[in-house]
Amino acid sequence: MSYCASRFRTIRRPSVEVKVGAVGVGGNNPLRLQSMTTSDTQDIEATVKQSVALAEVGCEIVRITAPNPAAARCLREIRQKISAAGFAHVPLVADIHFLPQAAMEAVEHVEKVRVNPGNYADKKKFNVREYSDADYERELQRLHDAFSPLVRRAKELGRALRIGTNHGSLSDRVMNRYGDTPLGMVESALEFVRICETHGFHDIILSMKASNPKVMIQAYRLLASRMDTAHRPYPLHLGVTEAGDGEDGRIKSAIGIGSLLLDGLGDTIRVSLTEDSVYEIPVARAIADKAMSLWRDAPQGMTNSESRKTNDSGQSSIRHSSFVTGHSGAGQHDSVDPFQFTRRESVALQLGEACAIGPEQPPRVIVRASLAELADPSSAVHSQKLKDTPIEGVLVPIATTADLASVGASLDPATTSPAFVVLELAAAITPADLKAKIETSKIPLVLLRRFTAGDSTILHDFAVFVRGSGHVLACDIVPGDFPSLAAALRQLGDTNTIFTLSSRTASATHAVGAYRQLAEELRQIGSRAPIWIRNTPATAMQGDNSFLSKLLEVSFLTGGLLCDGLGDLVSIETEADVTRSAKLAYNVLQGAGARSSKTEFVACPSCGRTLFDLQTTTQRIRERTGHLKGVKIAIMGCIVNGPGEMADADFGYVGGAPGKINLYVGKQCVQYNLPQTGADDRLIALIKEHGKWADPAPALAPQ
Ligand code: SF4
């Protein structure tokens, strides 16, 4: 079962075009950017103002919540006023949970209606019980009856529908049969797709959002593989829900969305941030531009004329193409199971007493620094302030034997605080030079060198040196050079070896694909040596020196690979400031769920249903609890997505009623309707009661 044409190159998934008003989604259209208003929908002026502000910064589709029929009725005037302001071309989407009446009203006024298949017409909110096959069938019939009027009306009016599954709000029916799994998310959406298709309605867009990027990635992959074999290839709307704010929110979104876009999946995106929604658009624009830069040389999506060839049974001619039948040719896929997370099993390596690498260890963090910084005990490289985000390895360039002598002189365990040092060796440096200058170093060394197809002899010499000295060799070898070096690599073995790449390769259009190829080459020669993910200017898709661009590139490459189970060491060499480089690395590790260095916040972006100020509340709670490494706190404006959103969180702080907060421990609500004024203190008391509290570390004196 395959979900994309290639895991090494970006080949856009062919999809049918769905028109949302004047805006085409899928097919050969560019990636469309979306966001959502946060005002009370019945405050028409505020909602129009926010919608116009979004359109002005480049939002192409604006979503507005319609929590009840009264709010849905307001969409008529909102649509009129936005059009009168000069934005008639920007389609509106009504966001519906629970109430078919609200959907039936909204569909009259706006170009698209989003329904959540987990709670549409679902009265038994979040109770799980046993369903027999007969019960299940009865439920599906009930669903058919409840959803069909909306489908028929959307068809009459030429509206589009989004079937938007959320990991946290699957129906009791689906939870009972599939659990809160990616498969459950997919089945939840397909139940609704089948109802649409029985009415000959195909203007459908699908989404599979989750706050955990790994779950979200797996769900979309599974959806693509399932949908395109049995249904039309409907467009996909991508998003990581409740990603939070700031750097962390951007990273989580970029990991999930970027990973899928590199595999060619996705036709429209939303970056959900707990910030004013206009700030989502520049991030979405930058992500879309990077992804679309990879479309240039790849076959494009399904054309409109091809989409019209789709037959009446809902199946498409492209279901017989390489996209769905598996591999589109030799070397397009690897052996990773893309539907289930498993960390690649690497051998354990010990770099001195302080730092182990391997299957039981979190990915280690390396920063790039100069020889002068390494030699200066007061430089940030040696800072003790980075207690929870320590620099574990420092990478320094060695261009000459004089550099080698100088680094050898500065390698004093008393003043060198990183656990190990990586020497990036120029081609002219030989094992004999190393023997003369640094063989007896008391600091564990990793010798990084690029080897090409004709380097068998020198690779052999390095292998002999590291075996004799106890140091480690990091081989930078592009996958295409593996066959000619295979004999020397086998001789080298796994015990003193790491593999890495510092650039993209000719056979992969992005560095994620190149690293996947590298892992595959290692598997084929039987090597379980650790893999070091290097983010360098040459691994980037688009050169741009802004911090946002670097953050997105790192999230795509490092985050995407970690979600595939690849990566034992990480370095962000595109960021010159070593402290920022280390912090960014730890934030990406945290976003990918690979290593925790601080509290994790799952915070919704807020919308017209929000029952308290998400932004200030999140900041307030972060100030008091941000140091609780390994603790996950969910902050949600309402309970619409259900306690399932708290599935991974240790504690939940959720709007229960205006000014009232419900507190959760895991999925269990333990305190209802607390006045918001005392809710922060009660949350902290709960954290203490459950043994998860630690006092913040005293600030270190300036160095
Ligand atoms: S959880 Fe947040 S974004 Fe989602 S519906 Fe509730 S208030 Fe809106």
Side-chain angles (χ1 to χ4, degrees), residues 97 242 604-611 614 636-641:
H97 295 270
E242 289 103 23
C604 84
S606 87
C607 74
R609 293 175 182 265
T610 308
L611 293 163
L614 249 304
M636 315 290 283
C638 76
I639 197 58
V640 82
N641 283 330

Side-chain angles (χ1 to χ4, degrees), residues 679-698:
D680 296 12
D681 289 340
R682 189 63 200 118
L683 172 70
I684 286 160
L686 265 183
I687 296 171
K688 288 180 177 168
E689 283 162 25
H690 286 79
K692 301 264 187 180
W693 181 260
D695 289 329

